[in-house]
Amino acid sequence: MGNPETEPHPEQNVLADEISKRAETASEKIKQRIQEIFIPNINQHGSFAERWLRSLHNDFYALVENPDDESGGGNYEGWTADEIKELYSVLYGEEMD
């Protein structure tokens, strides 16, 4: 039996799997961001992953208006509103309002 802190949490695996599945049909830019940034962060946050992802929810609305908004930490420079909306839909499984 392994260390419980390093064992995968079922809820994070489900969340990562759901997001990865939605990313399969996304553009390459979105797939890359999901695999390089979001999935590792979900795994790192463990049982808090869903809460962490929810905490980013409103940031995407600001980023659609201005990809250089400070809420994105400079990580969305040069992104279009459509790309940010696509990323949002992959992460949350819904279209932006």
Side-chain angles (χ1 to χ4, degrees):
M1 187 163 178
N3 180 346
E5 290 183 24
T6 60
E7 303 257 333
H9 297 280
E11 63 275 8
Q12 90 187 45
N13 290 338
V14 169
L15 180 61
D17 288 348
E18 288 172 350
I19 291 170
S20 291
K21 185 137 183 88
R22 288 192 294 265
E24 289 175 5
T25 59
S27 67
E28 284 305 312
K29 187 174 191 174
I30 303 306
K31 283 181 193 177
Q32 183 177 358
R33 182 61 59 106
I34 293 295
Q35 290 307 315
E36 292 179 2
I37 304 296
F38 286 96
I39 297 301
N41 272 296
I42 287 168
N43 292 331
Q44 181 181 15
H45 281 87
S47 61
F48 295 103
E50 198 167 324
R51 188 176 307 156
W52 168 74
L53 195 58
R54 275 197 311 265
S55 75
L56 302 177
H57 189 266
N58 289 334
D59 293 350
F60 287 98
Y61 287 91
L63 291 167
V64 164
E65 297 297 321
N66 176 11
D68 295 329
D69 188 86
E70 65 182 27
S71 66
N75 295 311
Y76 297 93
E77 185 178 335
W79 283 54
T80 67
D82 286 341
E83 289 170 332
I84 292 168
K85 287 178 182 181
E86 181 182 9
L87 177 60
Y88 176 95
S89 70
V90 168
L91 289 172
Y92 299 102
E94 63 187 31
E95 301 296 318
M96 286 185 103
D97 300 340

